[in-house]
Structures are given as C-alpha cells and as structure tokens.
Amino acid sequence: MKITDTFLWGASTSAFQIEGAYNIDGKGLATTDVRKVPEGMADTKVATDHYHHWKEDVDLMAELGLKTYRMGFSWSRIIPDETLVPNEKGLAFYDQLIDYLLEKGIEPFVTLYHFECPQALVDAFGGWKSRKMIDAYVRYAEVCFKHFKGRVTKWVTVNEQFIATAAPDLAMEYIKDPYERSKWIYQISYHVSLAEHKAFALLREIDPDAEIGPVSSIQVVYPLTSKPEDIIAAQEAEEMEEFYMLDISVYGEYSPAAYTWLKKRNLLPETQPEDAEILHGSKPDFIGVNYYFSTCAKAEEKPFDFETSFFWAADDCRIVANPNMPKTEWMNMGIDPLGLYNGMRKIYERYRLPMIVTENGMAVSETVGEDGCIHDTYRIEYLQKHIEQVMKLKREGYPVFGYCPWSFIDVLSSHQGFSKRYGLVFIDRTETDPKECRRIKKDSFAWYQKVIETDGNQL
Ligand code: BG6
C-alpha cells in the first residue's frame, strides 16, 4: 500500500442507499429494488436522490474538506442483466461524478459490491448460489477497472461479506430449514471469496498502480463472563463472524478453527481442484474496517435458530449486548470506542496489512429543529471518541491510513428506511414523502470540518 503522509479523512455512502433513480437510464433492477419493504417505509426508488443531486453533494464534500470519498457503484446500473453488456449511460453517470470529485481534489474510493446485485442474475441462475456469478462479477470488475483506470486507484471488492452473504434476498428467502440456509450461506461466501481473488488478480493486470482490498464488518466479541466456556464462545464468534472471511481474503484458506467449526457441522462448501490456485494466487493491499459497536458472547447449547440469533446462527454460542457499555435506541449492543482500537489491533496482529476505517457512525432518529438545524452533539461525541482511538493506533505505529465516518449524508438504512440516520448532512424527507431531498448540514459537519482541517489534532 502506498501510504502517504496524508491521512485520508473521508466519509462513506453506498450506491443503493443514496442514488434513487432505480429504473432510469438503462439501470436494471437490483436485489435491493425488489426486496419487500414494510408498508410506510422508504425504499430505493428515490433514497436521497443523489442521482440528481450528485454535484451539490460533491460541493458539500469539498466544503467539508474530504480527502477521499468512499462510495459504491451500483452493479445493475453498470451491467443491468445476464447478457453482461455494459450500460453506457450508467458508466456516464459515474464518469461525471468521478471527474468532478477529482476536479475538487477528492480521491474516489470505490466499492464494487455493497449488499446488492442485478436481480436478473438471481432470476437467471440463482445469483451467488451458482459459480456463474463469479464470472459475472469478474466481468463487472473488468469493465470498471478498465473504464476508470487511472481515475479510481483504490477499490473495495466486497463490503461486509459476513452480512452480504447472509442476505435473504440472495435467493434463499424461501429456504426455511436452518441447516440448509447455513449450508448455502457458507457456499455463497466461498463463491464470493473466489470472485474476490479473481478481482485482486485482474486489477494487478489491468492497473498495477491501483490498490484493492475487502471491507470487513469487524466483530469485537467479548466473553460475557470469565467462564472458560464463554471465553471459547467469544473466540469462536470472532473466528466465524470475521476472521474466517479475512483469512480467505488474505491467506486463501480457512483458519484451523474455522475449518474445524464448519467440518463438525457438515457446512464446508463444495470446492473444485482449481480453486486452491485462485485463492492462493493473490492478496489484498489493505483491509477496510467497518465498526459500530462491540458485542458479548455466552456459551449455550441450542439448535440453529435464525429468529433469535444476532447476525450469526450458531448452535453453541449466543451473541448478546455488552452490559458494561452505554446503549441507545438504535445502538442497543453497547457503544464501545475502545472496541475499535481492540479490533484493529487484532486485525494487524493477524494480517500485517495497512488498514482504513471505512465505516463508523451513530444511528439516531432525527428531525429538523425549530431553528432549522440539527444539533447532533451525541454524534460528535461518538465520532470524537472513536477518532481518538484511531489516532492512538496511529501514534503507536499501526498503519492506519484513513478514517471515513458512516455516513456522509443521511442514507436509506439497510433495513429501517430513514427512521434512523447517520449522516453529517441531513436529508429533508420523510419515509413516505421524498419532498425535495433538501440537504442541511448538521452540527457534526462543522465539527468534522475542523477535525480534517487540523488533521485530527483538534477533536
Ligand atoms: C453497515 C453497512 O453494515 O452498516 C451499511 O455497510 C449500513 O450499508 C450500516 O447502512 C448501518 O446499518 P443500518 O442497518 O443501520 O443501515
């Protein structure tokens, strides 16, 4: 990784959570466009209408002083369906956006896969359940790498493989049997890992100066008590919620603990002889870290149970809230800034790769106050405490090269519409009425502007 002296102060969004314009200019439907949304909740149709506000948004980023913008491409805007033919209008949308970012001195940092893919690929062959999806992803990556060569020099293969591969809309919605579902999740995850390695190798060929890595939803799991059983439960949880995927990204293989866990439950994926060479043939340049809160684990014998498990269905461990940490309505596992320090240290000890915080933020239900402003002091406090930990890691010599809060503007939540918001910029819309999607800077905007200006020396 070419770590420069310039620390990359950034901010994040993803395509389906902001763009809107879900079916225009040749865009195909994405899995997130057809997902059933509860009555009265916002969906992807308009989101923040970034598609029509992109210039204003980049101007706000420039005013904020961003060095990098961690954004997503919508696969179905670039390649709408199984014919794998690129959509020129889709590429043109990103051309204007990328070019304007560069003009403003903001480095585009692009995620290829963030929780969604063209629905046509799911309909045609089952999406990630099939190996055909690996070729489709590689084709999409190739189109992007070639088209944006020299303009986009930092890429993310997959955002949060752990969460992405458990998404029910990846053709698993109708599988009720928990064992069957688990089996598919690990098979899908394996296909994603193969696709990711092919993308690493492809970028080296197409643009050797560019860099690429995965983004992990790091899971900082403490034992609920000092009972040895709980300690093992917490270790297993971190292994199966985080490290098994990063081990494949970096080392091309499962850790002994993950292999044993999967084998014992007959969940090891089906493989093919040529896979080992693909998985061992390439490595990422960096690891992106998404972190919101920590959790605790306690040992418990129970059958697989998707209803009560938090993210992860395990039969020997239960993930619970951290009793020592403050909680809020939407951050109900426990806010834990030190967890970020703890989690990133573990990542560095295990992988020795440069790291960037790609997401970190606080969800709150917000409306505009009578004075027309949003005084989000709670968010400032949250970000401040987490940035302190990042600065500490830097001081101690860990190669952390950037920090991107989630999110630059309020985005459509992955599952809760606009009822919870994370942005530095407020989007004036309700769940059901997009209005004009007016942008209003929150207090945290000015605060973060100062942080960037002082390079993190004034928090
Ligand atoms: C991360 C995702 O997991 O968490 C984002 O990468 C997401 O896409 C964020 O929005 C917050 O989660 P949620 O469910 O509150 O939107």
Side-chain angles (χ1 to χ4, degrees), residues 339-351:
L340 179 59
Y341 174 80
N342 186 335
M344 290 184 80
R345 267 181 58 147
K346 279 194 194 170
I347 289 197
Y348 190 69
E349 295 305 331
R350 192 150 168 163
Y351 304 110

Side-chain angles (χ1 to χ4, degrees), residues 205-393:
E205 265 175 52
I206 296 176
D207 191 357
D209 289 334
E211 293 157 310
I212 190 161
V215 159
S216 170
S217 55
I218 67 162
Q219 302 295 316
V220 178
V221 188
Y222 305 110
L224 186 64
T225 72
S226 55
K227 280 191 224 152
E229 290 82 0
D230 287 347
I231 291 169
I232 291 173
Q235 283 169 354
E236 296 272 65
E238 285 193 346
E239 202 63 34
M240 296 312 298
E241 292 186 333
E242 173 185 345
F243 292 125
Y244 100 84
M245 286 154 286
L246 280 176
D247 275 12
I248 303 195
S249 295
V250 179
Y251 301 126
E253 57 193 31
Y254 293 116
S255 66
Y259 185 86
T260 306
W261 195 94
L262 291 171
K263 191 163 190 314
K264 191 170 152 198
R265 291 162 178 81
N266 198 21
L267 291 172
L268 280 169
E270 281 172 27
T271 62
Q272 289 185 6
E274 65 273 21
D275 296 351
E277 202 181 320
I278 297 167
L279 296 174
H280 286 113
S282 60
K283 271 186 107 160
D285 297 294
F286 62 86
I287 294 174
V289 165
N290 288 359
Y291 175 79
Y292 292 83
F293 46 75
S294 61
T295 59
C296 288
K298 61 174 179 164
E300 199 173 300
E301 294 284 325
K302 61 181 171 55
F304 275 115
D305 176 0
F306 277 90
E307 301 311 316
T308 54
S309 293
F310 183 70
F311 290 146
W312 174 51
D315 51 3
D316 54 357
C317 152
R318 184 165 296 232
I319 300 293
V320 294
N322 191 333
N324 296 307
M325 295 298 155
K327 298 169 190 66
T328 65
E329 182 193 4
W330 292 114
M331 311 289 286
N332 55 7
M333 283 283 146
I335 295 174
D336 175 17
L338 207 57
L340 179 59
Y341 174 80
N342 186 335
M344 290 184 80
R345 267 181 58 147
K346 279 194 194 170
I347 289 197
Y348 190 69
E349 295 305 331
R350 192 150 168 163
Y351 304 110
R352 299 284 200 279
L353 282 172
M355 301 171 288
I356 176 166
V357 177
T358 34
E359 288 180 31
N360 174 230
M362 180 171 193
V364 177
S365 302
E366 286 169 322
T367 46
V368 187
E370 277 174 13
D371 59 357
C373 304
I374 301 95
H375 302 296
D376 55 344
T377 42
Y378 36 84
R379 180 167 294 107
I380 293 172
E381 191 190 338
Y382 177 98
L383 295 176
Q384 178 184 28
K385 289 192 171 153
H386 285 79
I387 294 174
E388 267 167 19
Q389 298 304 323
V390 174
M391 296 291 106
K392 184 166 147 203
L393 283 161

Side-chain angles (χ1 to χ4, degrees), residues 17 114-115 159-160 290 292 359 406 413-414 420 422:
Q17 294 177 278
H114 193 124
F115 294 174
N159 178 70
E160 300 190 349
N290 288 359
Y292 292 83
E359 288 180 31
W406 182 266
S413 151
S414 67
K420 66 207 284 210
Y422 292 85

Side-chain angles (χ1 to χ4, degrees), residues 5 42 53 61 86 131 151 175 200 228 234 248-249 287 302 377 434:
D5 289 342
H53 290 252
M61 289 175 211
R131 281 188 171 239
R151 290 186 289 163
I175 303 176
F200 292 159
I248 303 195
S249 295
I287 294 174
K302 61 181 171 55
T377 42

Side-chain angles (χ1 to χ4, degrees), residues 426-443:
F426 186 84
I427 300 296
D428 187 17
R429 61 158 293 166
T430 68
E431 290 292 334
T432 48
D433 183 3
K435 302 196 257 178
E436 305 292 313
C437 281
R438 190 161 57 97
R439 274 73 174 138
I440 305 171
K441 290 175 262 177
K442 302 182 193 175
D443 285 3

